[in-house]
Amino acid sequence: MTLASRGALRLWMNSSRSSFHKCTERRKTKRAGDSQYCKFENHLLTLFTSSLYLAALVASFFASATTRALGRKVSMTVGGSIFLVGAVLNGAAQNVLMLIIGRILLGIGIGYANQSVPVYLSEMAPAKLRGALNIGFQMAICIGILSANLVNYGTSKMQHNGWRVSLGLAGAPAIIMTIGSLFLPDTPNSLIERGQKEKAKEMLQKIRGTPNVDEEYNDLLEASEVARLIEHPWKNIRERKYRPQLIITCLIPFFQQLTGINVIMFYAPVLFKTLGFGNDASLMSAVVTGLVNVFCTCVSIFTVDKFGRRALFIEGGIQMMIAQIAVGSLIASVFGVSGEGSFSKGYGNLALVFICVYVAAFAWSWGPLGWLVPSEIFPLEIRSAGQSINVSVNMFFTFVIGQLFLSMLCNMKFGLFYFFAGWVLIMTIFVYFFLPETKNVPIEEMNRVWKNHWFWGKYIPDDAVGLANHNQKFDV
């Protein structure tokens, strides 16, 4: 189901962009006097590409209330249904208004899915497998990107209605998501939150495969009792005792977008054209980076619960920074400041290698962990609100970076890659000093991790949920 939602998003988004490229090709093709850096600058294109995220941002706040009151499962069903309607409208669009309305509906669907799916996965998974199972969410993103690139490559050969085929194909995974969510059980956490305690214990025994779940069940009950006292989670989340989680859940998605990954994946064909690849070659190069993205996400699935979140964050950050500096330097050596010149086949292939090294690092670090960590660090009473903040920050900065990228490339030239490398250095240092390790910690006992941290510990009260009956220490 997660694969369907994320795959459909990427399929639609990249297909829409590809179709829009064709419609505006004559307008945005290099004009006389333009440099290689500026030949694809088009504000209407970037607005069309990035506007979906504003709808997702707004929808995430409504999704928070739905998820808390009706459960994670209902939010996924609602998101899938709205997404399906949007896909149908776009595939059958007769005018620009239908495309815009369809895109808004897709954004709403994505807002609901992004709000509910990571929380659902974190609550259903046992602590020792939570990282690997939650990364299935990011794996779906990667497969969606690859599918979109393959569809774009195929439909680019069609003389008529290729864009309709691209947009229409998004309806298939949307149907799977909508129907599939109807057969999913709700999480024990959500059932307890809504007063269904016996059903919650039965579900916990079922998903853990053992009747001996009393300790975990009691932790859930304790968390639920605290959650019942919280009538206004959006107000309470600003309290001092939630300060660590709030700061982390704002900074992680902010940093994720400033890795520069979306400008690589969203505008891969445009970027490769700028580097001198032909039309077909640029689309195929995007397929190559998509394949790297999929396979390297598997690395994270098999290592995140073994080596931990911090190790992957730090290693991935170092590797991304080196690759971005290499790409920027390579582009500088060919285009210089003037933006005149062209890549030879050898230099073009070398640039592709460096970009793949960068994508690989992101795929096993900031890609999956940017969704995993915020979904697992909040206590139950503010979890839905916290995840909505995570989604809204992610969507907002995805919109901002997507909107500004082509203009930034035109004005900053090869320095754009140094710009993102600098941010990667900052976020890697932040992770090293301020992000505690959360691997193998039960989700309702996460306060122990914050309490033991050298900096965040002073914010967590001694009677916080998960501290009263447990004295175990964790590495932070």
Side-chain angles (χ1 to χ4, degrees):
M1 186 207 65
T2 307
L3 169 61
S5 62
R6 298 300 297 190
L9 165 63
R10 297 296 176 170
L11 181 62
W12 185 89
M13 182 181 60
N14 286 276
S15 301
S16 298
R17 185 176 62 253
S18 180
S19 304
F20 196 79
H21 278 309
K22 295 176 184 177
C23 295
T24 60
E25 188 69 34
R26 293 181 181 178
R27 293 174 57 191
K28 63 186 177 61
T29 302
K30 183 180 179 182
R31 302 179 297 274
D34 281 347
S35 73
Q36 291 284 0
Y37 298 114
C38 301
K39 68 179 183 178
F40 289 106
E41 185 183 17
N42 185 291
H43 294 288
L44 183 59
L45 167 65
T46 53
L47 179 62
F48 184 81
T49 300
S50 56
S51 60
L52 174 146
Y53 299 100
L54 291 181
L57 187 159
V58 175
S60 66
F61 293 104
F62 292 95
S64 171
T66 305
T67 301
R68 191 167 191 240
L70 303 177
R72 289 62 167 143
K73 173 182 174 178
V74 172
S75 283
M76 288 187 280
T77 304
V78 170
S81 301
I82 296 174
F83 190 94
L84 177 58
V85 174
V88 171
L89 278 179
N90 277 281
Q94 300 298 313
N95 50 53
V96 175
L97 180 60
M98 288 184 68
L99 281 174
I100 293 174
I101 294 174
R103 188 165 182 80
I104 290 173
L105 292 176
L106 287 171
I108 294 172
I110 292 305
Y112 268 83
N114 281 353
Q115 202 281 337
S116 56
V117 173
V119 172
Y120 182 91
L121 293 173
S122 290
E123 290 182 345
M124 291 293 277
K128 64 181 180 180
L129 296 176
R130 186 174 63 245
L133 293 179
N134 197 293
I135 289 174
F137 186 70
Q138 177 68 14
M139 174 61 77
I141 298 177
C142 301
I143 294 176
I145 292 172
L146 176 61
S147 300
N149 288 333
L150 290 170
V151 168
N152 287 344
Y153 185 77
T155 56
S156 68
K157 310 294 184 182
M158 298 177 65
Q159 296 297 320
H160 303 288
N161 292 324
W163 66 275
R164 289 191 184 278
V165 174
S166 296
L167 299 184
L169 286 176
I175 291 172
I176 296 173
M177 173 181 176
T178 304
I179 296 177
S181 64
L182 297 175
F183 294 94
L184 289 175
D186 219 334
T187 68
N189 313 62
S190 180
L191 291 170
I192 291 175
E193 193 175 28
R194 290 177 285 134
Q196 304 177 41
K197 296 182 180 180
E198 290 302 318
K199 188 175 181 180
K201 187 170 186 178
E202 293 174 4
M203 180 55 62
L204 189 61
Q205 292 172 334
K206 182 177 180 180
I207 62 177
R208 297 294 182 258
T210 175
N212 301 319
V213 295
D214 289 345
E215 183 176 348
E216 183 176 1
Y217 180 68
N218 289 334
D219 287 338
L220 295 180
L221 289 178
E222 181 185 0
S224 177
E225 290 303 316
V226 174
R228 287 183 184 279
L229 301 177
I230 305 297
E231 296 182 3
H232 306 288
W234 288 103
K235 178 180 178 181
N236 289 87
I237 201 171
R238 292 176 291 175
E239 293 180 3
R240 175 183 170 85
K241 63 180 178 180
Y242 302 126
R243 193 74 47 80
Q245 297 95 326
L246 182 60
I247 291 174
I248 293 296
T249 209
C250 287
L251 288 180
I252 291 293
F254 169 72
F255 285 147
Q256 187 189 53
Q257 297 312 308
L258 284 172
T259 61
I261 186 62
N262 278 333
V263 303
I264 296 292
M265 305 312 293
F266 288 3
Y267 296 102
V270 171
L271 181 61
F272 286 124
K273 281 185 181 181
T274 300
L275 297 180
F277 291 79
N279 288 343
D280 289 347
S282 67
L283 287 171
M284 185 50 66
S285 298
V287 171
V288 171
T289 57
L291 283 169
V292 172
N293 203 15
V294 170
F295 287 118
C296 290
T297 300
C298 293
V299 174
S300 187
I301 290 176
F302 291 108
T303 58
V304 67
D305 291 313
K306 181 178 181 181
F307 298 112
R309 286 69 162 147
R310 283 168 48 84
L312 294 181
F313 266 131
I314 293 170
E315 191 284 329
I318 294 171
Q319 184 174 324
M320 283 192 294
M321 183 172 58
I322 293 172
Q324 284 171 320
I325 293 173
V327 171
S329 300
L330 187 61
I331 294 175
S333 69
V334 175
F335 292 156
V337 177
S338 66
E340 296 179 358
S342 61
F343 269 71
S344 65
K345 182 178 180 180
Y347 270 33
N349 289 334
L350 184 59
L352 177 60
V353 169
F354 284 137
I355 288 175
C356 286
V357 170
Y358 164 79
V359 170
F362 179 86
W364 62 55
S365 62
W366 279 92
L369 300 182
W371 290 104
L372 167 62
V373 172
S375 73
E376 66 182 0
I377 61 175
F378 279 99
L380 180 63
E381 63 267 23
I382 56 167
R383 187 169 300 150
S384 293
Q387 183 62 13
S388 289
I389 292 174
N390 176 39
V391 173
S392 62
V393 172
N394 192 297
M395 294 297 104
F396 176 74
F397 284 102
T398 300
F399 169 80
V400 171
I401 297 297
Q403 185 65 26
L404 297 180
F405 164 64
L406 293 180
S407 293
M408 292 172 70
L409 179 62
C410 181
N411 290 282
M412 298 178 67
K413 302 176 174 57
F414 60 84
L416 178 62
F417 293 91
Y418 298 152
F419 170 80
F420 286 126
W423 275 106
V424 172
L425 175 62
I426 292 171
M427 64 187 73
T428 301
I429 293 173
F430 176 84
V431 166
Y432 182 82
F433 286 105
F434 295 105
L435 184 69
E437 182 57 67
T438 56
K439 71 170 183 177
N440 298 332
V441 181
I443 193 169
E444 302 302 348
E445 299 176 16
M446 201 62 68
N447 274 327
R448 288 184 283 150
V449 172
W450 299 106
K451 188 64 176 177
N452 293 334
H453 191 269
W454 71 273
F455 181 79
W456 301 120
K458 61 180 177 285
Y459 292 96
I460 308 300
D462 293 334
D463 60 348
V465 174
L467 295 181
N469 300 319
H470 301 276
N471 297 312
Q472 182 179 351
K473 299 290 184 181
F474 293 92
D475 294 332
V476 295

